[in-house]
Amino acid sequence: MSTLIIISTLPILLLYLGLYKAQKALLPVTLIGLIAALGCTVASYTSNDTATPIYSGMMLFNNFSAVFSGITIITTILIILLSRGYFEKISNHIAEYYAIILFALAGVIVMVSFYNLVMLFIGIEIMSVSLYILAGIKKTDFASNEAALKYFLMGAFSTGFLLFGIALIYGSTGSFNLETIRNWVVQNPHGIDPMFYAGILLIVVGLCFKVGAAPFHFWTPDVYEGSPTLITAFMSTVAKTAAFAAFLRLFSACFAPVSDFWVPVLLVITIITLFIGNITALYQQSFKRMLAFSSISHAGYLLFAIVALGASSANSVFMYATAYSIASIIAFGALILVQQQSGSDNFDSFNGLAKKNPFLAVVLSIGMLSLAGIPLTAGFIGKFFMFSGALLQFKLVLVLLAVVNAVISIFYYFRVIIAMYFRDAERAELTVPVFYQLVLGFAALVTILIGIYPAFISNLI
């Protein structure tokens, strides 16, 4: 709970700093607050997880929530480090941007710690409303405004599905509490109200909208492309990790006894998501738009843990989300620097980068190899965990289709590597700020470390 309190009060402090024109203090205070929140999260982790729900069963701060809170806070710290000098180019009032990011993070903490459907809804809305605003922070940029409007409309649409689904679950069981709902399902194996099944389907639709899974993905490419790149990085990593952690907690705690009903639905969604994401990414000329479609395919891989729900699902989601988040930060960080130099996010903008900026080319290559799932990277370990969990549930056909999609993804991830190392272009050397060197170097190092020695984080949950 201390983590949530710190992250909820920190943005208020930042707004006051902005009010009194203490601009130089914003970044250090934000980082200090996030490190303090991370420290509280680590302190709440115990070797013997005996946490119980608090506040009349509204929240559950156990190892599951501690681990996912930790990775989202670390990811936010890395993104905040990349923000040095970024928001100043958009506006003189930068305190609001840091505050809104932290409000979104507060929603994320609620999402990974809920034990009541009301808190799940509140967490999603806190995060989503903050992201709607952040998507349109470039007030004079038509693409940013369009992204914010599309995100708001699609978010409101998905919220309707989610809220109606929660209402149907409550109408059937008489409770929003996860444990009560599960007990009701177990006690009524043959007398479950059809309204309850309809509620599950509506929740599936609402959550698939939130994670950008097909066929509910159509908002993702335009929103990711139009939003400021740093905000896209936050959406793609922190928001997606939180959504899947919430997805997993809900389905494992409540709906596992009726998995025969919803697993076929999610199985079809998973397969469609993999193929749409990967095949469409092949045809993109924009590196940023390619990352948007690849995020759709990664949502498909993350759905494996829910389709093959089991004791190892939480570890699988954590490993995959960690690998994906770290590699994505490398990709978006490099993209920000290239965009600042060339004004474009096309693959051609990366031509000849290895000759002028070997460090940037190396770390970006590591990020692309990880996203593609190449061995000795964290991405390979993440896919291994997902595929292993699916094979334990005898989802052989699903794994084979996923392997085909993983091969397809190699082609578009390697396009940027080929552009950097095998295509020439007249370009000046990029200036890589110290914070970018630290973040990108750290992310690349962790990517390799997890790929070689995954055991140091693989058994946290």
Side-chain angles (χ1 to χ4, degrees):
M1 191 63 189
S2 300
T3 301
L4 182 57
I5 292 172
I6 292 172
I7 292 175
S8 299
T9 55
L10 182 58
I12 299 173
L13 173 60
L14 294 176
L15 290 174
Y16 274 104
L17 289 175
L19 181 65
Y20 290 102
K21 308 299 181 182
Q23 303 286 67
K24 294 183 178 179
L26 291 173
L27 182 59
V29 169
T30 302
L31 292 174
I32 291 170
L34 287 172
I35 291 170
L38 180 62
C40 291
T41 301
V42 172
S44 69
Y45 183 88
T46 59
S47 58
N48 183 18
D49 192 3
T50 56
T52 56
I54 58 176
Y55 299 120
S56 300
M58 299 294 283
M59 304 288 286
L60 176 59
F61 293 96
N62 59 354
N63 284 353
F64 178 94
S65 61
V67 167
F68 280 103
S69 296
I71 187 59
T72 54
I73 292 171
I74 291 171
T75 304
T76 304
I77 289 173
L78 296 177
I79 290 172
I80 291 294
L81 284 170
L82 295 180
S83 73
R84 182 177 175 83
Y86 186 87
F87 294 129
E88 287 85 346
K89 297 176 181 178
I90 300 172
S91 171
N92 293 325
H93 307 287
I94 62 174
E96 290 87 349
Y97 302 145
Y98 287 115
I100 296 172
I101 289 174
L102 291 173
F103 279 129
L105 183 60
V108 164
I109 302 302
V110 174
M111 287 173 64
V112 302
S113 309
F114 78 98
Y115 205 66
N116 185 293
L117 292 178
V118 173
M119 295 309 298
L120 170 63
F121 182 77
I122 290 173
I124 289 176
E125 289 310 296
I126 292 172
M127 180 190 74
S128 298
V129 171
S130 301
L131 292 179
Y132 302 154
I133 298 169
L134 289 170
I137 59 174
K138 288 187 175 182
K139 299 177 183 179
T140 58
D141 188 336
F142 176 79
S144 180
N145 295 334
E146 182 184 19
L149 180 60
K150 285 184 177 180
Y151 197 17
F152 171 74
L153 293 175
M154 292 299 101
F157 191 57
S158 65
T159 296
F161 281 100
L162 184 62
L163 186 58
F164 194 27
I166 291 173
L168 292 180
I169 296 296
Y170 177 80
S172 299
T173 65
S175 178
F176 293 116
N177 182 269
L178 300 193
E179 185 177 359
T180 304
I181 294 170
R182 181 184 178 88
N183 291 339
W184 183 87
V185 173
V186 172
Q187 292 165 9
N188 298 274
H190 303 296
I192 295 179
D193 193 327
M195 187 165 61
F196 182 83
Y197 289 124
I200 293 177
L201 291 179
L202 289 172
I203 288 175
V204 167
V205 172
L207 288 175
C208 284
F209 261 111
K210 295 298 183 183
V211 301
F216 314 105
H217 67 287
F218 38 81
W219 61 270
T220 309
D222 291 340
V223 171
Y224 276 36
E225 184 180 31
S227 301
T229 302
L230 198 68
I231 304 306
T232 305
F234 188 88
M235 292 179 187
S236 182
T237 55
V238 177
K240 191 179 290 290
T241 299
F244 273 102
F247 212 155
L248 178 61
R249 170 167 276 191
L250 175 61
F251 276 73
S252 61
C254 294
F255 304 145
V258 291
S259 60
D260 290 344
F261 169 73
W262 54 264
V263 163
V265 177
L266 272 185
L267 185 62
V268 172
I269 290 174
T270 301
I271 294 171
I272 294 173
T273 301
L274 288 172
F275 278 100
I276 287 180
N278 283 303
I279 292 176
T280 314
L282 282 173
Y283 297 97
Q284 303 306 311
Q285 300 303 314
S286 162
F287 181 68
K288 190 176 182 182
R289 198 169 178 85
M290 179 276 286
L291 290 175
F293 280 104
S294 80
S295 76
I296 296 171
S297 70
H298 287 291
Y301 292 117
L302 282 161
L303 283 171
F304 270 51
I306 302 170
V307 169
L309 196 62
S312 63
S313 291
N315 256 340
S316 298
V317 171
F318 173 65
M319 288 294 294
Y320 198 100
T322 300
Y324 171 71
S325 297
I326 293 172
S328 294
I329 285 174
I330 295 174
F332 284 110
L335 176 60
I336 289 171
L337 295 175
V338 171
Q339 278 183 314
Q340 289 175 348
Q341 182 194 54
S342 65
S344 170
D345 63 357
N346 287 340
F347 282 96
D348 291 342
S349 302
F350 293 86
N351 288 352
L353 184 65
K355 292 181 179 179
K356 295 293 184 178
N357 292 88
F359 168 78
L360 193 59
V362 168
V363 295
L364 182 55
S365 297
I366 291 172
M368 293 298 100
L369 292 173
S370 184
L371 289 172
I374 302 301
L376 300 182
T377 65
F380 172 78
I381 300 300
K383 283 188 171 62
F384 176 79
F385 271 66
M386 287 296 177
F387 295 170
S388 298
L391 288 174
L392 288 174
Q393 299 291 330
F394 305 104
K395 310 289 185 185
L396 179 60
V397 175
L398 178 61
V399 173
L400 290 175
L401 292 175
V403 170
V404 170
N405 277 274
V407 173
I408 294 173
S409 70
I410 291 174
F411 288 92
Y412 59 79
Y413 286 128
F414 273 55
R415 283 182 67 186
V416 69
I417 298 176
I418 292 170
M420 290 189 297
Y421 286 94
F422 300 104
R423 290 181 181 168
D424 293 325
E426 292 294 329
R427 64 182 309 142
E429 182 178 351
L430 275 173
T431 300
V432 183
V434 174
F435 280 149
Y436 275 75
Q437 293 179 26
L438 291 174
V439 170
L440 299 183
F442 172 79
L445 181 62
V446 172
T447 297
I448 297 299
L449 182 60
I450 295 175
I452 296 174
Y453 185 64
F456 84 104
I457 67 165
S458 63
N459 297 312
L460 288 177
I461 303 180

